[in-house]
Amino acid sequence: MSTTAASARGTAPGRRAIRRASVTGAYAIAGALTVILAWALLAQAVGNPTQLPAPGAVIAAIQANWHTIPAVEYVLFRPLGVATAVSYTAVNVLVGVALGTVLGIVLGLILARSRLVRELFEGPLLLLTTTPLLILLPFITLWFGTDRIAQSLLVIVFTMTTVTFATKNAAIAVAGHYANYAACLGASAAQTQRDVVFPAALPATIANVRVALALGWGLQAVAELLGGRSGIGRVIEITARQQATTDLFAVVLAMLVVALAVDTAVAGLGAVLTRWKED
């Protein structure tokens, strides 16, 4: 009897999590369908595909332009399709967010642990946070050219500063409540950082990583728009100039789908890593 009760108690949180995920997924699908319906009605009301193409035409353009976009090939004299452009940008964004996250976590923990380091470097980091990052783009292009890593520097810097302050604030809050208690139980400083401070700061860090991802796509597209040789930014610039509106919408829609898939994956990973919050 006790085994059955324990099993029931163990499966109840899992069932609640599945139920919440199902409800959230249903709302997300309903919201997407509502947006598509509104888009279709507005396109029909406008009646001009060069201004606002219908959803069906955009989806067909994704399929037709998967390997090469005629308007882009005409300008670049080489094939560049939706798949190549989106994958190029996606790799840049993911690498930039990953590097910025690692740097931000390390810097955040250091700032939280050392008051001297915090007093020395928190001001410059705050200044970097409040400075519009697009101002840095001409300097990045001048100093580093148009290589892929140079185009990702905006994403790296934004992610680093965002994650740094989220991790620092969470680590300081945790240190005041639980770190001393862990030390009283015999935990070393390294064990406290690894087993207490870092896990407790993880929810805030993951939330800010998702923010960095959401804005990173736009920053990366702008970097490619102004100095890229490939990627969605380059495609957007060419298709807008050629007035290939359907092709422009196609690459943007493909990017949005990938961005939503990446965000869903990060949210799922975060739920797994912070599953202790469900207790």
Side-chain angles (χ1 to χ4, degrees):
M1 190 67 157
S2 60
T3 304
T4 304
S7 176
R9 286 195 300 270
T11 56
R15 291 175 179 174
R16 287 196 297 269
I18 293 174
R19 191 180 304 115
R20 283 195 298 269
S22 301
V23 172
T24 302
Y27 280 128
I29 293 173
L33 292 176
T34 301
V35 171
I36 292 174
L37 178 60
W39 176 9
L41 293 175
L42 185 59
Q44 186 176 10
V46 172
N48 186 353
T50 59
Q51 292 182 333
L52 183 62
V58 173
I59 294 174
I62 294 176
Q63 297 174 337
N65 299 335
W66 188 251
H67 297 291
T68 182
I69 303 172
V72 177
E73 185 177 11
Y74 175 79
V75 173
L76 298 180
F77 299 103
R78 60 182 174 88
L80 178 61
V82 172
T84 303
V86 172
S87 61
Y88 180 92
T89 299
V91 169
N92 289 349
V93 171
L94 293 178
V95 170
V97 170
L99 290 176
T101 299
V102 172
L103 292 173
I105 291 174
V106 173
L107 287 175
L109 293 176
I110 293 175
L111 290 175
R113 182 174 176 81
S114 174
R115 182 173 182 177
L116 176 61
V117 175
R118 187 162 63 247
E119 291 178 350
L120 286 174
F121 296 105
E122 189 171 29
L125 285 173
L126 280 172
L127 180 62
L128 186 61
T129 302
T130 56
T131 300
L133 288 181
L134 292 181
I135 294 176
L136 301 177
L137 188 57
F139 299 99
I140 291 174
T141 304
L142 177 65
W143 294 334
F144 302 102
T146 57
D147 292 336
R148 297 186 72 163
I149 189 64
Q151 293 176 8
S152 299
L153 278 178
L154 286 181
V155 180
I156 294 173
V157 171
F158 177 77
T159 305
M160 181 191 70
T161 53
T162 303
V163 172
T164 293
F165 287 104
T167 303
K168 183 217 53 165
N169 293 334
I172 290 176
V174 171
H177 293 83
Y178 302 110
N180 293 334
Y181 181 66
C184 292
L185 294 177
S188 65
Q191 288 175 323
T192 302
Q193 289 291 318
R194 184 190 65 214
D195 300 330
V196 178
V197 176
F198 177 70
L202 197 57
T205 300
I206 292 174
N208 282 272
V209 168
R210 294 181 66 187
V211 173
L213 270 173
L215 295 178
W217 296 95
L219 291 173
Q220 182 64 36
V222 171
E224 294 168 354
L225 182 69
L226 297 181
R229 291 171 289 183
S230 189
I232 60 170
R234 184 65 168 146
V235 172
I236 289 172
E237 186 269 330
I238 293 174
T239 52
R241 181 155 35 95
Q242 298 290 321
Q243 295 186 341
T245 311
T246 304
D247 296 338
L248 189 155
F249 269 73
V251 72
V252 170
L253 180 60
M255 181 200 69
L256 289 176
V257 171
V258 173
L260 287 174
V262 171
D263 180 72
T264 301
V266 172
L269 178 62
V272 172
L273 294 177
T274 60
R275 57 188 178 275
W276 46 268
K277 290 179 58 182
E278 299 295 332
D279 297 334

